[in-house]
Structures are given as structure tokens and as C-alpha cells.
Amino acid sequence: THLSPFHHSFQDMEKEILAACGKGDPEEILSSAFKLKITREDIHTLRNQCWLNDEVINFYLGLVMQRSKKEDYPSVYAFSTFFLPKLTMDGYKGVSRWTRCVDIFKHDVIFVPINSNLHWSLVAMDLRVKSIHYFDSLGKNGDDICQVLLKYLQQEMREKRKEELDMSEWMLHSMAPHEIPQQYNGYDCGVFMCKYADYLSQDRALTFSQSCMPYFRKRMVWEILHQVLL
């Protein structure tokens, strides 16, 4: 029989999480995949009341992409956290080579993680229904970011497929605070962002809340160490 991640006892998982979050060489590599290395220092950003860093977020989105290759899951592509700053700074030319090995239009959902003034948020572009949604756990508005990314899609389509994307067919929307789970502190935005991606990549309703965050942080430590989403 195929052993699922759930054959690990809760005590074992807890022990492993505590060890990774505990004392040790900050440079020690605890997990590597997707051309990324996660050190103990990176894992420590998943301790309560810490801000998640780029490494943890990019690795987690790598796990989301990996799972999306399974049957019955929407096909997902996630850009790195460094994509939007590069696009903003250098325009389309600055990122046109980022997708030379991938046709993003073959995917159902594209995620763009965003870090603005130390705050993480997420854009989800659903190619199945031609929508671009902005998810922010502090309820901020991201209409301008959605516009930038729609323009990126148009240029990418032109460049890679020599086709015109009709912008008028697309629906752009910043999720209002009452529409999605919101954070009530100054440090959980990265976890919210990862969980938005986790749930959306399964076409699941966003049914979590602030109270889930300490549990999600522990769970993410385990998932990163084992390179599999529970």
C-alpha cells in the first residue's frame, strides 16, 4: 500500500518541527528542491510572530506547483517573489526570458506573490475564466497590480503565441476584507498568502481564519522538510 504522509505519528511530526525550529547551525540546509535551499535560519521565519522570507515562500509555492501536476488538480504555475519587482522596474523586457522554458498559457491558474513594504499579498490569474484577483490579508486594494499583470499577459501572449489577448474579456477584482480571511496582527501575512495559494490551487473555498495560523506555521515546517503538502 502507498504510505501517505499521514502515517507519521503526531508526536513524531511535532518532534521534528520543534527540532527544525530549535537551536543549531543557522546555515544548515534542512531541505532542497526546485533549485532552492532552505536553511535552519529560513525555517525559523516560520516560528510564531516572525515574518516569512522569500526562500520559504518560493519553496512553498514550488510545493503547490508540484502537487498541481497530479490528476484532478488545476494546473498551477507560480512566479517567484522576485518577478513583480523586476517587471515593475524593467518592464516586459526585464522578464520576457523568465518563461523561456514554460508556456504559462497551458496552465489553469497563475500565482504572483507580492511583497510591498514588508507585506505579502497574492495575485491569482485564472485562465479558465479570464479573471485576475488580488488577495490581501489586510484588505488593501491591488487594482493597479492587476492591471500591470493583465498587461504582462497581453505582452507574453503576443511574444510567445503571436496572438492578441482581448483585455475587455478579463475581469479584475481586488478581494474586499469581508470576502476573504483577514489577519489581525502584523506578522502573519506571508502565511495567509501561502494558504490563499494552497486553497485556490485546489479550487477550495477559503475557509481558514487568523486562529489557524500557529497550526499552519508548524504544518508548513513539516511540509517543507518533507517536500510534500499534507
Side-chain angles (χ1 to χ4, degrees), residues 123-134:
V123 167
M125 307 193 268
D126 193 327
L127 302 183
R128 298 168 296 183
V129 295
K130 298 188 175 169
S131 73
I132 300 181
H133 284 90
Y134 176 74

Side-chain angles (χ1 to χ4, degrees), residues 178-221:
H178 69 271
E179 292 180 289
I180 57 171
Q182 296 288 287
Q183 73 183 95
Y184 299 116
N185 59 37
Y187 43 79
D188 277 332
C189 53
V191 187
F192 271 88
M193 196 211 78
C194 287
K195 295 314 284 189
Y196 291 150
D198 174 24
Y199 278 60
L200 293 167
S201 68
Q202 304 175 71
D203 286 332
R204 278 175 76 185
L206 304 177
T207 51
F208 55 88
S209 69
Q210 175 65 65
S211 59
C212 307
M213 293 300 133
Y215 162 68
F216 281 158
R217 282 175 177 272
K218 285 184 181 178
R219 176 167 155 168
M220 285 172 73
V221 171

Side-chain angles (χ1 to χ4, degrees), residues 39-53:
T39 64
R40 183 179 297 276
E41 193 172 12
D42 296 327
I43 286 287
H44 280 192
T45 69
L46 281 162
R47 296 198 288 198
N48 280 336
Q49 302 189 10
C50 295
W51 285 337
L52 269 53
N53 67 8

Side-chain angles (χ1 to χ4, degrees), residues 1-194:
T1 56
H2 178 68
L3 281 178
S4 80
F6 299 102
H7 72 274
H8 295 264
S9 83
F10 183 71
Q11 282 85 359
D12 288 348
M13 292 169 89
E14 191 83 359
K15 239 185 249 165
E16 210 175 344
I17 292 160
L18 281 171
C21 290
K23 285 191 171 64
D25 175 7
E27 300 299 304
E28 185 191 347
I29 292 163
L30 300 185
S31 193
S32 57
F34 322 118
K35 298 183 185 152
L36 298 169
K37 290 180 169 53
I38 296 288
T39 64
R40 183 179 297 276
E41 193 172 12
D42 296 327
I43 286 287
H44 280 192
T45 69
L46 281 162
R47 296 198 288 198
N48 280 336
Q49 302 189 10
C50 295
W51 285 337
L52 269 53
N53 67 8
D54 291 278
E55 284 70 26
V56 163
I57 283 176
N58 287 325
F59 200 95
Y60 189 82
L61 290 174
L63 293 174
V64 169
M65 274 196 279
Q66 175 180 282
R67 179 182 61 194
S68 85
K69 296 188 175 98
K70 290 185 186 169
E71 249 178 285
D72 300 331
Y73 281 99
S75 167
V76 171
Y77 185 76
F79 280 106
S80 112
T81 55
F82 307 111
F83 172 75
L84 192 71
K86 186 79 178 150
L87 174 64
T88 311
M89 202 164 65
D90 299 332
Y92 179 74
K93 278 192 172 61
V95 294
S96 64
R97 288 177 59 76
W98 285 45
T99 50
R100 64 184 183 276
C101 301
V102 60
D103 179 355
I104 59 172
F105 299 104
K106 285 194 171 145
H107 294 84
D108 297 318
V109 181
I110 301 165
F111 291 132
V112 184
I114 292 154
N115 191 331
S116 167
N117 302 324
L118 300 175
H119 176 62
W120 290 108
S121 56
L122 182 75
V123 167
M125 307 193 268
D126 193 327
L127 302 183
R128 298 168 296 183
V129 295
K130 298 188 175 169
S131 73
I132 300 181
H133 284 90
Y134 176 74
F135 294 82
D136 191 310
S137 52
L138 288 177
K140 295 179 178 171
N141 184 293
D143 289 352
D144 49 343
I145 295 171
C146 293
Q147 287 288 352
V148 166
L149 289 168
L150 179 57
K151 190 164 194 293
Y152 164 78
L153 281 186
Q154 186 184 41
Q155 290 166 300
E156 179 77 355
M157 173 82 82
R158 218 173 262 165
E159 180 78 15
K160 302 287 157 71
R161 292 205 162 180
K162 309 289 179 253
E163 291 171 30
E164 274 304 310
L165 180 130
D166 182 352
M167 287 170 128
S168 68
E169 294 178 346
W170 285 72
M171 201 268 292
L172 278 51
H173 177 62
S174 283
M175 303 300 279
H178 69 271
E179 292 180 289
I180 57 171
Q182 296 288 287
Q183 73 183 95
Y184 299 116
N185 59 37
Y187 43 79
D188 277 332
C189 53
V191 187
F192 271 88
M193 196 211 78
C194 287

